[in-house]
Amino acid sequence: MVWKNPWYDATKAHHTPQGFRNPEADTRQQGDLQRWRKERKASGLPFPPAGGYDAFRQQWYQPAHLQGDDDAVWFLGHACIMLRLQQQVVLIDPALSPRASPLRFYGPKRHTPAPLAIAQLPRLDYVLISHNHYDHLDAPTIRQILKRFPDVRFVVPLGLKPWFTRQGARHVVQLDWWQQATFGDIQVHAVPARHWSMRTLKDRNRSLWCGWTVHSQTLRFWFSGDSGYSDNLLEIPRRLGPFDLAALPIGAWAPEWFMQSQHMNPTQAVALHRAAGCPLTIPIHWGVFELADESLDAPPAVLSQAMQAAQLDERLFRAWRIGESRALNFI
């Protein structure tokens, strides 16, 4: 029986009767995946960091410290961000397992440890998930969250609520692009991203992918999620900006001929940083899993070069250590 999209809205360009799509054309062609894998294997890519993995961890990793109760933000590695806003805690795309994979023994493995465990969190109020890829939606982490915080609220893109319900989640809100949910003083918008979804061999693009904005009385935050660059993303700061804080991806762009429709490069991330008004911006989607051909230490270096070329203040968009935090008292 042919699966039909139960959320299909013919007035929306990113909807199809069979699922969801990007408004932008897909630059990949049939056979490109096999070509990339063949070239990657022949070249022995990705290469280790210049000083080796131990040196990389010493430079870019630290345990997360949770003391205090002031508003703050943490970079927890790869795409995981944690916010503490007015005594409420928001976790975004938590993937804290040893591998980004449905299997414990195969698939992309962590090269830097998770800087905290769910058991360390004194409270957790909301979890936002951008899409269903294993490096963003990690079932073991979600099960740990539900065991410790059974009343936590999940906010997910269209099509993912059934997955969370099957895990035992009691409170799940799913949103389409540009829809919003309000929880007390916190407002969450689902915003467009240029990406795709797939968790099994049979569910490609049956659930949506998105970025998020989080607004409170003291903060306007844009989390891009996984995304290739598109001028369509400029509509986000136009509608929902200006932003005080952003999280934009800088990793998994190589080779660009294959990755550009799903992952932006650091130069493109800098362009979005500028378009967002040059807020304090956390680089995400780097430093943990080797998902593309660049080395783990390439994204921070290329980001620095791109910021210098754009003649922008590097203090506002530079690589954070995994586990690093910043107080949100700059607003």
Side-chain angles (χ1 to χ4, degrees), residues 59-111:
Q59 179 179 2
W60 291 112
Y61 169 81
Q62 68 182 50
H65 300 291
L66 304 179
Q67 69 273 11
D69 55 12
D70 294 338
D71 288 1
V73 58
W74 286 259
F75 173 49
L76 299 181
H78 196 57
C80 185
I81 297 290
M82 185 168 68
L83 296 169
R84 185 169 62 206
L85 295 174
Q86 302 167 16
Q87 309 302 312
Q88 298 186 86
V89 177
V90 181
L91 198 55
I92 307 177
D93 280 6
L96 306 178
S97 293
R99 291 185 184 272
S101 171
L103 304 173
R104 294 184 178 181
F105 56 88
Y106 184 78
K109 65 179 182 179
R110 301 190 73 94
H111 288 282

Side-chain angles (χ1 to χ4, degrees), residues 154-208:
F154 292 93
V155 190
V156 305
L158 278 184
L160 276 186
K161 182 176 180 178
W163 186 92
F164 282 86
T165 301
R166 290 194 298 270
Q167 310 309 308
R170 301 173 185 172
H171 309 288
V172 187
V173 175
Q174 63 177 7
L175 301 176
D176 199 353
W177 291 354
W178 303 117
Q179 290 182 339
Q180 68 185 60
T182 301
F183 307 100
D185 293 332
I186 295 177
Q187 188 178 75
V188 175
H189 284 83
V191 294
R194 185 183 182 186
H195 203 58
W196 58 293
S197 68
M198 182 175 176
R199 200 163 175 87
T200 73
L201 295 176
K202 298 181 179 180
D203 67 352
R204 185 180 180 89
N205 294 344
R206 289 187 181 181
S207 64
L208 188 58

Side-chain angles (χ1 to χ4, degrees), residues 23 34 62 98 111 114 136 177 204 212 239 271 307 326 330:
Q34 291 75 19
Q62 68 182 50
H111 288 282
H136 295 257
W177 291 354
R204 185 180 180 89
W212 299 104
R239 288 198 195 188
M307 287 292 286
R326 185 81 61 89
F330 56 86

Side-chain angles (χ1 to χ4, degrees), residues 273 278-279 281 307-308 310-318:
H273 166 72
C278 295
T281 302
M307 287 292 286
Q308 292 175 32
Q311 298 183 328
L312 297 175
D313 186 349
E314 283 194 71
R315 293 173 297 179
L316 294 176
F317 192 13
R318 53 91 181 162

Side-chain angles (χ1 to χ4, degrees), residues 130-260:
S130 65
H131 65 295
N132 71 356
H133 287 162
Y134 287 92
D135 55 322
H136 295 257
L137 175 55
D138 177 51
T141 301
I142 297 301
R143 287 194 288 267
Q144 292 171 35
I145 288 172
L146 285 169
K147 184 177 181 179
R148 181 164 174 78
F149 304 103
D151 290 322
V152 67
R153 293 182 179 272
F154 292 93
V155 190
V156 305
L158 278 184
L160 276 186
K161 182 176 180 178
W163 186 92
F164 282 86
T165 301
R166 290 194 298 270
Q167 310 309 308
R170 301 173 185 172
H171 309 288
V172 187
V173 175
Q174 63 177 7
L175 301 176
D176 199 353
W177 291 354
W178 303 117
Q179 290 182 339
Q180 68 185 60
T182 301
F183 307 100
D185 293 332
I186 295 177
Q187 188 178 75
V188 175
H189 284 83
V191 294
R194 185 183 182 186
H195 203 58
W196 58 293
S197 68
M198 182 175 176
R199 200 163 175 87
T200 73
L201 295 176
K202 298 181 179 180
D203 67 352
R204 185 180 180 89
N205 294 344
R206 289 187 181 181
S207 64
L208 188 58
W209 47 94
C210 70
W212 299 104
T213 67
V214 179
H215 291 178
S216 73
Q217 294 178 351
T218 58
L219 180 72
R220 300 176 77 90
F221 172 49
W222 175 23
F223 173 88
S224 69
D226 244 356
S227 184
Y229 180 82
S230 168
D231 287 343
N232 291 329
L233 300 178
L234 302 178
E235 185 66 16
I236 298 169
R238 280 197 290 263
R239 288 198 195 188
L240 298 173
F243 296 107
D244 312 298
L245 181 69
L248 301 177
I250 64 166
W253 77 85
E256 291 189 63
W257 66 263
F258 181 69
M259 293 292 182
Q260 63 182 334

